[in-house]
Amino acid sequence: MMATAAYADSSDRTSDSTVMGFVENVYVGKLGLEMKGKLDTGADSSSVFARDVHIYKKSGKDDWVRFRLIGKNGRTVRYDQNVRRFALIKLKKGGTIRRPVIHLPICIGGVKGLAEVNLADREDFEYDFLVGREFMASRILVDSASTFTAEGSCEKDDRE
């Protein structure tokens, strides 16, 4: 099997991959906001349902974005982060949409790392977080017949 290097962070990879179901709890950010996520081997990159997205210039030049994420239990976390880049995402109905891309620490079943994530309106989708191959490569193998099988722990980090 050929591994693809993650753009955001490849330093935390191991030679052992963990098998997980195609749907798992994803713990986002250093505060560990719990979101329902789909591990999507058909997606290159990760995407999260971000609300109240506001892009602005900081110091007159750098692009920053303010947004909020809502977890499974209704808990809301607000973010204010620098935009790493903008991605053009192909739409199923044709055309493209420009989305801000940021880096977010995530943890799934004890597998932690920094993910490159685009901020999307996923209101019409079942899963608030889509985990793409860039994050899963060399970390996670997906059992497409299973859900919520991840056994490792994602302890909350008090550094945020």
PDB file of all heavy atoms in Angstrom, residues 77-96:
ATOM      1  N   VAL A  77     -17.273  26.181  20.300  1.00  0.00           N
ATOM      2  CA  VAL A  77     -15.931  26.727  20.478  1.00  0.00           C
ATOM      3  C   VAL A  77     -15.694  27.730  19.363  1.00  0.00           C
ATOM      4  O   VAL A  77     -15.931  27.448  18.190  1.00  0.00           O
ATOM      5  CB  VAL A  77     -14.846  25.624  20.451  1.00  0.00           C
ATOM      6  CG1 VAL A  77     -13.462  26.224  20.542  1.00  0.00           C
ATOM      7  CG2 VAL A  77     -15.063  24.622  21.573  1.00  0.00           C
ATOM      8  N   ARG A  78     -15.248  28.918  19.759  1.00  0.00           N
ATOM      9  CA  ARG A  78     -14.942  29.972  18.784  1.00  0.00           C
ATOM     10  C   ARG A  78     -13.444  29.975  18.481  1.00  0.00           C
ATOM     11  O   ARG A  78     -12.631  29.757  19.377  1.00  0.00           O
ATOM     12  CB  ARG A  78     -15.358  31.328  19.325  1.00  0.00           C
ATOM     13  CG  ARG A  78     -16.839  31.435  19.532  1.00  0.00           C
ATOM     14  CD  ARG A  78     -17.264  32.836  19.998  1.00  0.00           C
ATOM     15  NE  ARG A  78     -18.657  32.866  20.352  1.00  0.00           N
ATOM     16  CZ  ARG A  78     -19.652  32.912  19.487  1.00  0.00           C
ATOM     17  NH1 ARG A  78     -19.401  32.932  18.208  1.00  0.00           N
ATOM     18  NH2 ARG A  78     -20.909  32.932  19.900  1.00  0.00           N
ATOM     19  N   TYR A  79     -13.117  30.225  17.230  1.00  0.00           N
ATOM     20  CA  TYR A  79     -11.734  30.247  16.781  1.00  0.00           C
ATOM     21  C   TYR A  79     -11.443  31.557  16.069  1.00  0.00           C
ATOM     22  O   TYR A  79     -12.326  32.150  15.462  1.00  0.00           O
ATOM     23  CB  TYR A  79     -11.461  29.101  15.802  1.00  0.00           C
ATOM     24  CG  TYR A  79     -11.416  27.744  16.447  1.00  0.00           C
ATOM     25  CD1 TYR A  79     -12.580  26.993  16.616  1.00  0.00           C
ATOM     26  CD2 TYR A  79     -10.218  27.205  16.889  1.00  0.00           C
ATOM     27  CE1 TYR A  79     -12.546  25.749  17.201  1.00  0.00           C
ATOM     28  CE2 TYR A  79     -10.178  25.957  17.478  1.00  0.00           C
ATOM     29  CZ  TYR A  79     -11.340  25.235  17.628  1.00  0.00           C
ATOM     30  OH  TYR A  79     -11.302  24.000  18.217  1.00  0.00           O
ATOM     31  N   ASP A  80     -10.196  31.951  16.111  1.00  0.00           N
ATOM     32  CA  ASP A  80      -9.678  33.093  15.368  1.00  0.00           C
ATOM     33  C   ASP A  80      -8.283  32.670  14.924  1.00  0.00           C
ATOM     34  O   ASP A  80      -7.362  32.626  15.736  1.00  0.00           O
ATOM     35  CB  ASP A  80      -9.626  34.335  16.268  1.00  0.00           C
ATOM     36  CG  ASP A  80      -9.364  35.608  15.496  1.00  0.00           C
ATOM     37  OD1 ASP A  80      -9.486  35.604  14.261  1.00  0.00           O
ATOM     38  OD2 ASP A  80      -9.033  36.619  16.145  1.00  0.00           O
ATOM     39  N   GLN A  81      -8.150  32.280  13.655  1.00  0.00           N
ATOM     40  CA  GLN A  81      -6.901  31.687  13.181  1.00  0.00           C
ATOM     41  C   GLN A  81      -6.449  32.287  11.864  1.00  0.00           C
ATOM     42  O   GLN A  81      -7.265  32.776  11.085  1.00  0.00           O
ATOM     43  CB  GLN A  81      -7.073  30.181  12.980  1.00  0.00           C
ATOM     44  CG  GLN A  81      -7.143  29.421  14.267  1.00  0.00           C
ATOM     45  CD  GLN A  81      -7.037  27.934  14.024  1.00  0.00           C
ATOM     46  OE1 GLN A  81      -7.914  27.205  14.422  1.00  0.00           O
ATOM     47  NE2 GLN A  81      -5.989  27.487  13.366  1.00  0.00           N
ATOM     48  N   ASN A  82      -5.144  32.133  11.624  1.00  0.00           N
ATOM     49  CA  ASN A  82      -4.639  32.581  10.337  1.00  0.00           C
ATOM     50  C   ASN A  82      -5.008  31.565   9.262  1.00  0.00           C
ATOM     51  O   ASN A  82      -5.068  30.370   9.512  1.00  0.00           O
ATOM     52  CB  ASN A  82      -3.134  32.835  10.384  1.00  0.00           C
ATOM     53  CG  ASN A  82      -2.340  31.584  10.667  1.00  0.00           C
ATOM     54  OD1 ASN A  82      -2.715  30.776  11.507  1.00  0.00           O
ATOM     55  ND2 ASN A  82      -1.247  31.419   9.962  1.00  0.00           N
ATOM     56  N   VAL A  83      -5.288  32.074   8.071  1.00  0.00           N
ATOM     57  CA  VAL A  83      -5.613  31.237   6.924  1.00  0.00           C
ATOM     58  C   VAL A  83      -4.302  30.797   6.301  1.00  0.00           C
ATOM     59  O   VAL A  83      -3.453  31.627   5.973  1.00  0.00           O
ATOM     60  CB  VAL A  83      -6.474  32.012   5.895  1.00  0.00           C
ATOM     61  CG1 VAL A  83      -6.719  31.171   4.648  1.00  0.00           C
ATOM     62  CG2 VAL A  83      -7.792  32.451   6.519  1.00  0.00           C
ATOM     63  N   ARG A  84      -4.122  29.500   6.150  1.00  0.00           N
ATOM     64  CA  ARG A  84      -2.902  28.950   5.545  1.00  0.00           C
ATOM     65  C   ARG A  84      -2.905  29.141   4.039  1.00  0.00           C
ATOM     66  O   ARG A  84      -1.879  29.389   3.433  1.00  0.00           O
ATOM     67  CB  ARG A  84      -2.760  27.465   5.869  1.00  0.00           C
ATOM     68  CG  ARG A  84      -2.667  27.160   7.323  1.00  0.00           C
ATOM     69  CD  ARG A  84      -1.413  27.771   7.889  1.00  0.00           C
ATOM     70  NE  ARG A  84      -1.290  27.451   9.304  1.00  0.00           N
ATOM     71  CZ  ARG A  84      -0.207  27.635  10.004  1.00  0.00           C
ATOM     72  NH1 ARG A  84       0.851  28.146   9.441  1.00  0.00           N
ATOM     73  NH2 ARG A  84      -0.185  27.343  11.266  1.00  0.00           N
ATOM     74  N   ARG A  85      -4.096  28.964   3.471  1.00  0.00           N
ATOM     75  CA  ARG A  85      -4.266  29.116   2.019  1.00  0.00           C
ATOM     76  C   ARG A  85      -5.760  29.058   1.732  1.00  0.00           C
ATOM     77  O   ARG A  85      -6.564  28.852   2.638  1.00  0.00           O
ATOM     78  CB  ARG A  85      -3.523  28.029   1.246  1.00  0.00           C
ATOM     79  CG  ARG A  85      -4.046  26.632   1.477  1.00  0.00           C
ATOM     80  CD  ARG A  85      -3.214  25.571   0.746  1.00  0.00           C
ATOM     81  NE  ARG A  85      -3.721  24.249   0.993  1.00  0.00           N
ATOM     82  CZ  ARG A  85      -4.676  23.644   0.304  1.00  0.00           C
ATOM     83  NH1 ARG A  85      -5.249  24.275  -0.711  1.00  0.00           N
ATOM     84  NH2 ARG A  85      -5.081  22.428   0.595  1.00  0.00           N
ATOM     85  N   PHE A  86      -6.128  29.227   0.485  1.00  0.00           N
ATOM     86  CA  PHE A  86      -7.501  29.054   0.050  1.00  0.00           C
ATOM     87  C   PHE A  86      -7.536  27.878  -0.926  1.00  0.00           C
ATOM     88  O   PHE A  86      -6.637  27.735  -1.753  1.00  0.00           O
ATOM     89  CB  PHE A  86      -8.048  30.319  -0.615  1.00  0.00           C
ATOM     90  CG  PHE A  86      -8.307  31.428   0.363  1.00  0.00           C
ATOM     91  CD1 PHE A  86      -7.322  32.354   0.656  1.00  0.00           C
ATOM     92  CD2 PHE A  86      -9.530  31.523   1.002  1.00  0.00           C
ATOM     93  CE1 PHE A  86      -7.554  33.370   1.574  1.00  0.00           C
ATOM     94  CE2 PHE A  86      -9.776  32.539   1.920  1.00  0.00           C
ATOM     95  CZ  PHE A  86      -8.777  33.450   2.204  1.00  0.00           C
ATOM     96  N   ALA A  87      -8.570  27.042  -0.809  1.00  0.00           N
ATOM     97  CA  ALA A  87      -8.715  25.889  -1.685  1.00  0.00           C
ATOM     98  C   ALA A  87      -9.917  26.091  -2.592  1.00  0.00           C
ATOM     99  O   ALA A  87     -10.940  26.625  -2.158  1.00  0.00           O
ATOM    100  CB  ALA A  87      -8.905  24.623  -0.857  1.00  0.00           C
ATOM    101  N   LEU A  88      -9.782  25.665  -3.834  1.00  0.00           N
ATOM    102  CA  LEU A  88     -10.914  25.649  -4.756  1.00  0.00           C
ATOM    103  C   LEU A  88     -11.476  24.237  -4.721  1.00  0.00           C
ATOM    104  O   LEU A  88     -10.796  23.278  -5.088  1.00  0.00           O
ATOM    105  CB  LEU A  88     -10.481  26.019  -6.172  1.00  0.00           C
ATOM    106  CG  LEU A  88     -10.205  27.494  -6.417  1.00  0.00           C
ATOM    107  CD1 LEU A  88      -9.730  27.714  -7.845  1.00  0.00           C
ATOM    108  CD2 LEU A  88     -11.452  28.317  -6.147  1.00  0.00           C
ATOM    109  N   ILE A  89     -12.711  24.091  -4.249  1.00  0.00           N
ATOM    110  CA  ILE A  89     -13.359  22.799  -4.087  1.00  0.00           C
ATOM    111  C   ILE A  89     -14.376  22.611  -5.203  1.00  0.00           C
ATOM    112  O   ILE A  89     -15.209  23.497  -5.445  1.00  0.00           O
ATOM    113  CB  ILE A  89     -14.059  22.701  -2.713  1.00  0.00           C
ATOM    114  CG1 ILE A  89     -13.102  23.042  -1.578  1.00  0.00           C
ATOM    115  CG2 ILE A  89     -14.711  21.338  -2.532  1.00  0.00           C
ATOM    116  CD1 ILE A  89     -11.938  22.111  -1.407  1.00  0.00           C
ATOM    117  N   LYS A  90     -14.312  21.463  -5.896  1.00  0.00           N
ATOM    118  CA  LYS A  90     -15.268  21.161  -6.960  1.00  0.00           C
ATOM    119  C   LYS A  90     -16.614  20.811  -6.342  1.00  0.00           C
ATOM    120  O   LYS A  90     -16.695  20.039  -5.401  1.00  0.00           O
ATOM    121  CB  LYS A  90     -14.775  19.981  -7.793  1.00  0.00           C
ATOM    122  CG  LYS A  90     -13.548  20.278  -8.604  1.00  0.00           C
ATOM    123  CD  LYS A  90     -13.108  19.056  -9.375  1.00  0.00           C
ATOM    124  CE  LYS A  90     -11.777  19.300 -10.044  1.00  0.00           C
ATOM    125  NZ  LYS A  90     -11.261  18.073 -10.665  1.00  0.00           N
ATOM    126  N   LEU A  91     -17.669  21.382  -6.893  1.00  0.00           N
ATOM    127  CA  LEU A  91     -19.027  21.104  -6.445  1.00  0.00           C
ATOM    128  C   LEU A  91     -19.638  19.996  -7.288  1.00  0.00           C
ATOM    129  O   LEU A  91     -19.371  19.911  -8.492  1.00  0.00           O
ATOM    130  CB  LEU A  91     -19.885  22.369  -6.541  1.00  0.00           C
ATOM    131  CG  LEU A  91     -19.409  23.567  -5.713  1.00  0.00           C
ATOM    132  CD1 LEU A  91     -20.247  24.790  -6.041  1.00  0.00           C
ATOM    133  CD2 LEU A  91     -19.485  23.230  -4.236  1.00  0.00           C
ATOM    134  N   LYS A  92     -20.468  19.144  -6.668  1.00  0.00           N
ATOM    135  CA  LYS A  92     -21.119  18.055  -7.394  1.00  0.00           C
ATOM    136  C   LYS A  92     -21.970  18.568  -8.549  1.00  0.00           C
ATOM    137  O   LYS A  92     -22.044  17.953  -9.598  1.00  0.00           O
ATOM    138  CB  LYS A  92     -21.989  17.227  -6.446  1.00  0.00           C
ATOM    139  CG  LYS A  92     -21.205  16.342  -5.537  1.00  0.00           C
ATOM    140  CD  LYS A  92     -22.139  15.513  -4.674  1.00  0.00           C
ATOM    141  CE  LYS A  92     -21.339  14.659  -3.719  1.00  0.00           C
ATOM    142  NZ  LYS A  92     -22.198  13.846  -2.865  1.00  0.00           N
ATOM    143  N   LYS A  93     -22.618  19.704  -8.331  1.00  0.00           N
ATOM    144  CA  LYS A  93     -23.503  20.258  -9.358  1.00  0.00           C
ATOM    145  C   LYS A  93     -22.747  21.088 -10.409  1.00  0.00           C
ATOM    146  O   LYS A  93     -23.353  21.694 -11.261  1.00  0.00           O
ATOM    147  CB  LYS A  93     -24.603  21.081  -8.703  1.00  0.00           C
ATOM    148  CG  LYS A  93     -24.086  22.207  -7.851  1.00  0.00           C
ATOM    149  CD  LYS A  93     -25.206  22.882  -7.082  1.00  0.00           C
ATOM    150  CE  LYS A  93     -24.611  23.875  -6.118  1.00  0.00           C
ATOM    151  NZ  LYS A  93     -25.521  24.273  -5.093  1.00  0.00           N
ATOM    152  N   GLY A  94     -21.425  21.097 -10.306  1.00  0.00           N
ATOM    153  CA  GLY A  94     -20.606  21.845 -11.250  1.00  0.00           C
ATOM    154  C   GLY A  94     -20.074  23.124 -10.632  1.00  0.00           C
ATOM    155  O   GLY A  94     -20.645  23.652  -9.686  1.00  0.00           O
ATOM    156  N   GLY A  95     -18.978  23.599 -11.143  1.00  0.00           N
ATOM    157  CA  GLY A  95     -18.354  24.804 -10.633  1.00  0.00           C
ATOM    158  C   GLY A  95     -17.458  24.527  -9.432  1.00  0.00           C
ATOM    159  O   GLY A  95     -17.223  23.375  -9.060  1.00  0.00           O
ATOM    160  N   THR A  96     -16.954  25.598  -8.850  1.00  0.00           N
ATOM    161  CA  THR A  96     -16.065  25.487  -7.690  1.00  0.00           C
ATOM    162  C   THR A  96     -16.448  26.523  -6.644  1.00  0.00           C
ATOM    163  O   THR A  96     -17.144  27.492  -6.943  1.00  0.00           O
ATOM    164  CB  THR A  96     -14.584  25.706  -8.085  1.00  0.00           C
ATOM    165  OG1 THR A  96     -14.453  26.996  -8.681  1.00  0.00           O
ATOM    166  CG2 THR A  96     -14.088  24.633  -9.030  1.00  0.00           C
TER     167      THR A  96
END
